Amino acid sequence: MNEPSETPIGAEASKLASGVKWSVLIYRVKYLLARYWWIIAGAMIIGAGIQGYRYSKASPEYISSSRMMVNGQLNLGPANQSGAYSEELMNFFGTQVVLMKAPDTVTEARARVRALHSEVAADPSASVDALQVPKTSIFELHVTSTNPEYAPLLLDAVMDSYLTSKKGRQEQTTNGAVSAITAEIAQLDAEIKTDEQQLLDFQKENNVVFIEEQSNSAAAYLVGLNNELARLTKEHDLLILESNNRAVADANASVARASAGIQAQQETIEKLKILRDEYSIYLKDMHPKMIALSATIDKEQKFLDLLKTKGMQEREAHQEDLKLQIQNLEKQIADWNQKSLDLNQRLATFQLLKSKITREQTTYGQLASSVQNVNLNTSLDQEDVVIMNRASTASPIPVDYEHELANGALFGALVGAGILYLINRLDDKVTYPALIEAMYEFPIIGQIPFALADPKSKRKRVPLIAEDDKRHILSE
């Protein structure tokens, strides 16, 4: 089942209860202030008095000020010159401010003042402050002390200690860099000597000029061999293709047409056959002339067959010769390839040694130049932060007594308010009818006023209501 929604009467009652609580709170505040106002007033007076007493008994404080600024740098080399000491610029100013007032810097400054000016009384409570002037490259430093002589001395010592510490860090970084570069140069020098010795030994064992010329000649000769191999292979493949694609008879006819002797022999045989045909008109086959002519034709035919056989043999011999030439060329190419690879490998070794030495010499020159740049910047000793103004004479810090008394009175008022809060928490008396509703959340149906008895009456009865009665309005 759904819970019943809040009725307008309940909402009105809730609003009324909230109003009652606020009215009770306001009443309690007014009640406490009306009854215990003297507590707050007394606390304010006591607070102001204590604050005034403190400042009247406190030793006067003096302040000394100075300024430092970021100095310009003289660039004696190219824009990308290496070897110059530099600090991270993004947080440069904030870092310098922290270093100026760092505990180590202040401690070293105190020791410096104690050593150089032992006659001046030290002030352990002296404080150092540093800040950057907005939108400038200037730092302001202040020392606050109860001793007017100690303040400027400490401030000068702080600036000197800061510059000394900064220079020490710079020298430490520079010396570390120079040591590392020097060690790298020594190692690189040893490697260069070793590589140069290897190059010299290689040149003793190999004639580099001859190797280069021989490598070029071998490359040109290999190109010629490959071209000749391609030509012979093509011719050989064409002969094989012709032999496979044509019949033997066509091949014989092709050979016969290609040979002038075979052609002439065929013509001779044809002439003899024509002559035999002419004789056969009037001569018998067994005639001696016919027998002799037939014998001559058979002899010439045998000679023709011999010529054809010789052409085929020459063709096969040429094909075999091509095959042998191809095999010989392939062997020569393989040998010259091996020779060329060996020559190229020796040339590559020589070039590798030369390029390695060149790289090492270039790196050696760069490292040596870096050392020179570091030494140059160290000798110039350019400071990026310099003293603009030395410490001024300490001047007393004026005390705003009115402001300090007001602070003491405000603190006393807060203490008095705390006391009133404790009284309110400890006092559980009901002093206001609405307080009952706020405490128990029940409505007040009636109110019975409390009336004191008349002390003048013998029976101590409550007196009757009279005109201009000062008792509660509901006393009736």
Side-chain angles (χ1 to χ4, degrees), residues 251-263 266 304 308:
N252 292 335
S254 176
V255 172
R257 287 191 297 270
S259 176
I262 293 175
Q263 184 69 25
Q266 286 180 343
L304 178 61
K308 291 182 178 179

Side-chain angles (χ1 to χ4, degrees), residues 94-122:
T95 303
Q96 303 313 308
V97 168
V98 173
L99 291 176
M100 289 174 184
K101 57 183 180 180
D104 294 341
T105 305
V106 176
T107 302
E108 184 179 352
R110 292 179 185 276
R112 184 188 294 264
V113 174
R114 187 166 52 253
L116 298 178
H117 303 279
S118 57
E119 72 280 359
V120 179

Side-chain angles (χ1 to χ4, degrees), residues 150-379:
Y150 185 74
L153 295 177
L154 180 61
L155 184 55
D156 285 337
V158 166
M159 292 189 292
D160 293 337
S161 299
Y162 161 76
L163 293 177
T164 302
S165 176
K166 186 177 179 63
K167 187 174 181 179
R169 289 192 301 272
Q170 179 179 351
E171 291 179 352
Q172 181 180 2
T173 303
T174 302
N175 294 335
V178 170
S179 300
I181 295 175
T182 304
E184 187 68 21
I185 288 176
Q187 181 180 357
L188 198 59
D189 185 60
E191 292 180 0
I192 290 175
K193 291 180 180 179
T194 302
D195 294 338
E196 287 178 344
Q197 185 62 41
Q198 290 180 359
L199 182 62
L200 181 61
D201 295 340
F202 181 85
Q203 290 177 334
K204 288 180 180 179
E205 297 174 359
N206 301 274
N207 189 343
V208 178
V209 177
F210 175 76
I211 291 174
E212 290 179 349
E213 294 295 332
Q214 192 174 12
S215 176
N216 295 331
S217 301
Y221 185 65
L222 274 174
V223 172
L225 289 179
N226 284 315
N227 293 334
E228 182 67 15
L229 178 62
R231 186 185 66 80
L232 294 177
T233 303
K234 181 179 180 182
E235 185 176 355
H236 181 265
D237 292 341
L238 289 175
L239 287 175
I240 294 176
L241 183 62
E242 185 179 358
S243 299
N244 293 334
N245 293 339
R246 295 183 179 181
V248 177
D250 295 336
N252 292 335
S254 176
V255 172
R257 287 191 297 270
S259 176
I262 293 175
Q263 184 69 25
Q265 185 65 22
Q266 286 180 343
E267 292 177 355
T268 302
I269 291 173
E270 291 295 331
K271 290 178 180 179
L272 290 173
K273 287 182 178 180
I274 293 172
L275 182 60
R276 187 181 63 178
D277 292 339
E278 291 178 353
Y279 285 167
S280 65
I281 296 175
Y282 56 88
L283 293 177
K284 298 294 184 178
D285 292 337
M286 299 304 294
H287 192 275
K289 288 185 176 181
M290 294 293 289
I291 294 173
L293 189 58
S294 297
T296 302
I297 290 172
D298 291 339
K299 182 180 178 181
E300 294 295 335
Q301 185 65 40
K302 290 180 180 180
F303 183 68
L304 178 61
D305 293 338
L306 179 62
L307 289 176
K308 291 182 178 179
T309 303
K310 183 178 179 181
M312 291 296 297
Q313 290 176 351
E314 289 178 353
R315 182 189 181 95
E316 292 176 357
H318 181 60
Q319 184 174 351
E320 187 66 24
D321 181 60
L322 289 175
K323 184 176 181 181
L324 291 176
Q325 291 184 32
I326 290 172
Q327 292 177 354
N328 184 37
L329 283 175
E330 289 177 346
K331 183 179 179 182
Q332 290 186 20
I333 289 173
D335 293 339
W336 278 98
N337 272 329
Q338 185 62 35
K339 293 179 181 179
S340 179
L341 289 174
D342 180 63
L343 293 173
N344 290 333
Q345 183 176 4
R346 284 190 283 176
L347 281 178
T349 303
F350 176 74
Q351 295 296 337
L352 180 62
L353 288 174
K354 283 186 63 178
S355 61
K356 185 179 179 182
I357 293 174
T358 301
R359 290 195 305 270
E360 290 172 345
Q361 289 175 345
T362 303
T363 305
Y364 184 92
Q366 292 175 350
L367 292 176
S369 177
S370 298
V371 173
Q372 292 177 355
N373 292 332
V374 170
N375 293 332
L376 176 61
N377 283 277
T378 303
S379 61

Side-chain angles (χ1 to χ4, degrees), residues 29-47:
V29 171
K30 290 181 179 180
Y31 172 77
L32 292 173
L33 289 177
R35 187 170 182 180
Y36 300 106
W37 62 269
W38 54 271
I39 294 179
I40 295 180
M44 292 176 64
I45 294 173
I46 293 173

